[in-house]
Amino acid sequence: MSQMPELEVTTLPADAVEVGRIADAWGIKGWFKVISYSSDAEVLLTAKNWYLLPAEKGAKHFTGTVLLPVKQARTHSDSIVATAAAVGDRNAAETLRGARIFVSRTAFPAADEGEFYWVDLLGMSVVNREGVAMGVVKDLLATGPQTTLVLAYDEGGKERERMIPFVDAYVDKVDLAGKSILVDWQLDY
């Protein structure tokens, strides 16, 4: 019988970002395998507190949000493995299978100059050089060599989409504090 580790029930931080999920137990000493939602899993390797929500499908061994203080996380082959003091053996690790992992945005490593986390761009207003509102960033697409902004805008009472390549040739300025992006783009492109 699997024994759920004793984890502190908590509230999900307002700035929490879902970064992965627990795949399965790994070994016999309470380690577990993690699936990262990002190709750069640095936040999973450095954040000391993970917030877990139950699996969306399958067995649920807890409800609500629990805090998982991570003792160690490291890369292993093509994945990440982690351990926590509260997870003492394989049986306890198995109870976490499928749990969704959230990390506070403040725990993310600082982005390099000219680089941005996608989560920070969502909801930003996009305006062109002439001051014309182009829309609000609702999604981003990785399209191979570049990322593309997916904007939502209203046209005649209907929501429409507009796409703009997120490259220096079209993006003049990203103002994180002002939640806006200045682009060299026209409505008829």
Side-chain angles (χ1 to χ4, degrees), residues 167-183:
V167 294
D168 289 341
Y170 302 116
V171 177
D172 292 338
K173 181 181 176 187
V174 175
D175 180 2
L176 289 174
K179 299 284 289 171
S180 66
I181 300 173
L182 179 65
V183 295

Side-chain angles (χ1 to χ4, degrees), residues 19-40:
V19 293
R21 69 178 172 83
I22 296 176
D24 206 351
W26 186 77
I28 61 170
K29 296 183 179 180
W31 285 74
F32 42 91
K33 194 171 187 177
V34 176
I35 297 172
S36 174
Y37 293 160
S38 171
S39 60
D40 180 2

Side-chain angles (χ1 to χ4, degrees), residues 44-181:
L44 281 167
L45 299 173
T46 59
K48 296 300 177 199
N49 288 311
W50 294 357
Y51 299 87
L52 303 182
L53 288 177
E56 291 179 322
K57 296 179 183 175
K60 293 175 179 45
H61 296 279
F62 65 97
T63 59
T65 304
V66 295
L67 177 64
L68 180 68
V70 177
K71 186 165 57 173
Q72 183 181 0
R74 61 183 169 91
T75 56
H76 178 74
S77 296
D78 61 347
S79 63
I80 295 171
V81 293
T83 187
V87 184
D89 60 24
R90 182 177 184 84
N91 290 339
E94 285 175 349
T95 66
L96 300 177
R97 183 182 300 137
R100 299 164 53 207
I101 304 168
F102 291 77
V103 173
S104 170
R105 173 61 184 90
T106 58
F108 281 46
D112 291 335
E113 180 69 30
E115 292 185 357
F116 307 94
Y117 285 107
W118 283 18
V119 68
D120 293 338
L121 301 176
L122 295 173
M124 285 190 149
S125 298
V126 179
V127 177
N128 71 9
R129 290 178 176 175
E130 291 76 28
V132 176
M134 306 296 289
V136 174
V137 179
K138 78 172 203 173
D139 200 2
L140 290 103
L141 297 174
T143 58
Q146 69 192 25
T147 298
T148 301
L149 298 171
V150 179
L151 310 181
Y153 67 96
D154 183 71
E155 182 177 76
K158 292 185 178 182
E159 184 176 299
R160 304 279 187 198
E161 285 185 354
R162 174 177 289 121
M163 295 186 185
I164 300 175
F166 190 65
V167 294
D168 289 341
Y170 302 116
V171 177
D172 292 338
K173 181 181 176 187
V174 175
D175 180 2
L176 289 174
K179 299 284 289 171
S180 66
I181 300 173

